[in-house]
Amino acid sequence: MRNLLIRDVKRNAVLTAYHTMLLNTMFFVPVLVPYFHDVLGVGYQGFMLAQAIFSGIVILMDVPTGLLADIWTRRTTMIVGTAIYCVGELMLLFVHGFIGAACAEALLGVAVSLLSGAKMALLYDSMVEAGQEADYRRKQGFVHGSGLYATGASALLGGWLYQHNHYLPMALSAVMALSATLLSALIAEPKRHREAVRRHPLADMIETMRYALHGHREVAGIILLSGIAFAVTRVIFWAQQPYYIAMGIPVAWFGVLTAVNFMIAGLGGHFSHTLDRFADDLTILRACLVAAFVVCFGAGVAPGWFGVTLLVAGGAIYGIGWARTLTAINRLVDSARRATILSTANFMLS
């Protein structure tokens, strides 16, 4: 029985990578701003407000759902989160106007909250159970990079599909999310040492956040630094499509530029572990923050193809930095609180 469990959890690394790839095959990403305008009737200001609502839901839900994954099972949390994500994408096919779009974004925020801590905690515990903990950094980088590769590859088609039918990118993305939901049912729940919840779940959640942000300075530093750095990378990402529109770049090229951006991010995440010989996690995160400033400042003061190049290359910041953040947190915290701490990191970013 023990050997069967180890075989199942070893398979989790592959299944988690496939799940990430399917869920991140998002054909709509390079044309989301035009989609909101042309199909949903929502301008850029409304689009950004909808994204703010998405992040607001993540802020409200991320830590509680991380706690849920710690006291429930990570596998079940992943299945439910992926299914809700699929429903959110389907909603964007049928709604019109800001209210409908905001409701869909809120649903997507709940899904991302459910998935954020559970998936990486499950992968880490699987590798510990299989005796492969030392290889986690490389595997986690591969999983992280796989999702970015998938987004980049699907972005290549996104602009072209949008030119033929505005609904195709969103519809195909929903199909991929449904496939990820079915795949997540094949994942095995790894054995872990879990503390019983002795008090009200809210009290346990507050205690866990205090653990992350007060009692353990290194964990707190990583969470706060990554939160600032990756908030800036989101600004970089959502500035790209309006930036291209201002330059008069055809929508069909949005997919190519977005694909290059995500491929660079994927390479950064995939090979992030190779930086171990040069610097520790905190030093690399500080470098990511400086690089994010350079990208934003350069694109702002020198608009044009130089600015486009900076924005596209900025994907490496997220790819490298987030992989380091996840690995550092997994290294520093115990299994009983791992999903909640990872969700706290995502909470700070949102």
Side-chain angles (χ1 to χ4, degrees), residues 16 103 186 197 310:
T16 302
C103 290
L186 301 176
V197 179
L310 283 176

Side-chain angles (χ1 to χ4, degrees), residues 10-345:
K10 281 183 176 180
R11 190 179 62 173
N12 279 354
V14 177
L15 292 176
T16 302
Y18 285 145
H19 177 274
T20 302
M21 291 173 67
L22 288 171
L23 202 61
N24 284 272
T25 301
M26 298 180 289
F27 299 96
F28 63 82
V29 165
V31 293
L32 196 54
V33 172
Y35 182 84
F36 264 64
H37 180 270
D38 300 339
V39 177
L40 303 183
V42 178
Y44 186 67
Q45 184 176 2
F47 168 78
M48 291 305 297
L49 182 55
Q51 296 305 313
I53 290 172
F54 167 86
S55 290
I57 294 297
V58 173
I59 288 172
L60 292 174
M61 298 292 295
D62 217 351
V63 176
T65 53
L67 176 64
L68 178 65
D70 279 335
I71 63 176
W72 201 7
T73 70
R74 282 85 187 263
R75 174 180 176 271
T76 304
T77 306
M78 284 181 62
I79 293 172
V80 174
T82 312
I84 293 175
Y85 196 92
C86 180
V87 173
E89 290 185 341
L90 287 172
M91 278 187 65
L92 287 172
L93 283 171
F94 299 104
V95 299
H96 184 78
F98 175 75
I99 298 300
C103 290
E105 289 289 342
L107 203 59
L108 290 170
V110 173
V112 168
S113 299
L114 286 164
L115 291 167
S116 63
K119 183 187 293 188
M120 288 299 102
L122 182 142
L123 176 62
Y124 188 84
D125 284 337
S126 296
M127 299 197 69
V128 171
E129 183 67 23
Q132 299 178 341
E133 182 178 359
D135 200 35
Y136 170 77
R137 189 186 295 272
R138 185 179 65 84
K139 289 286 188 182
Q140 186 276 325
F142 172 72
V143 171
H144 180 62
S146 296
L148 295 170
Y149 294 148
T151 305
S154 57
L156 277 173
L157 290 174
W160 181 80
L161 291 169
Y162 190 78
Q163 296 286 87
H164 287 75
N165 187 304
H166 289 353
Y167 291 94
L168 269 178
M170 190 64 67
L172 290 176
S173 300
V175 171
M176 302 306 290
L178 176 60
S179 301
T181 304
L182 298 175
L183 181 88
S184 60
L186 301 176
I187 293 174
E189 180 72 15
K191 181 181 178 181
R192 57 198 169 104
H193 300 289
R194 183 178 66 192
E195 295 180 356
V197 179
R198 303 181 185 88
R199 299 176 297 170
H200 191 277
L202 180 61
D204 192 70
M205 180 186 74
I206 293 171
E207 180 184 332
T208 299
M209 289 189 66
R210 185 182 298 117
Y211 168 94
L213 299 178
H214 178 69
H216 295 73
R217 295 182 61 183
E218 189 174 359
V219 176
I222 290 169
I223 290 175
L224 292 171
L225 190 59
S226 64
I228 296 169
F230 303 133
V232 179
T233 63
R234 289 192 176 184
V235 173
I236 292 171
F237 179 74
W238 289 122
Q240 288 179 41
Q241 291 176 41
Y243 201 90
Y244 302 157
I245 291 170
M247 285 191 60
I249 298 174
V251 173
W253 282 96
F254 286 20
V256 177
L257 293 170
T258 304
V260 175
N261 177 261
F262 275 95
M263 289 299 179
I264 290 173
L267 288 170
H270 194 166
F271 295 103
S272 175
H273 65 282
T274 61
L275 298 175
D276 287 351
R277 71 188 75 172
F278 303 109
D280 59 25
D281 294 319
L282 276 174
T283 300
I284 292 173
L285 286 172
R286 292 189 188 101
C288 286
L289 183 58
V290 172
F293 167 78
V294 170
V295 168
C296 290
F297 186 79
V301 300
W305 283 105
F306 176 74
V308 169
T309 303
L310 283 176
L311 291 173
V312 169
I317 301 169
Y318 176 76
I320 293 171
W322 191 238
R324 307 299 301 198
T325 299
L326 294 175
T327 302
I329 291 174
N330 276 310
R331 176 174 55 83
L332 292 168
V333 304
D334 58 87
S335 176
R337 298 185 185 277
R338 182 164 293 121
T340 313
I341 300 294
L342 288 169
S343 290
T344 302

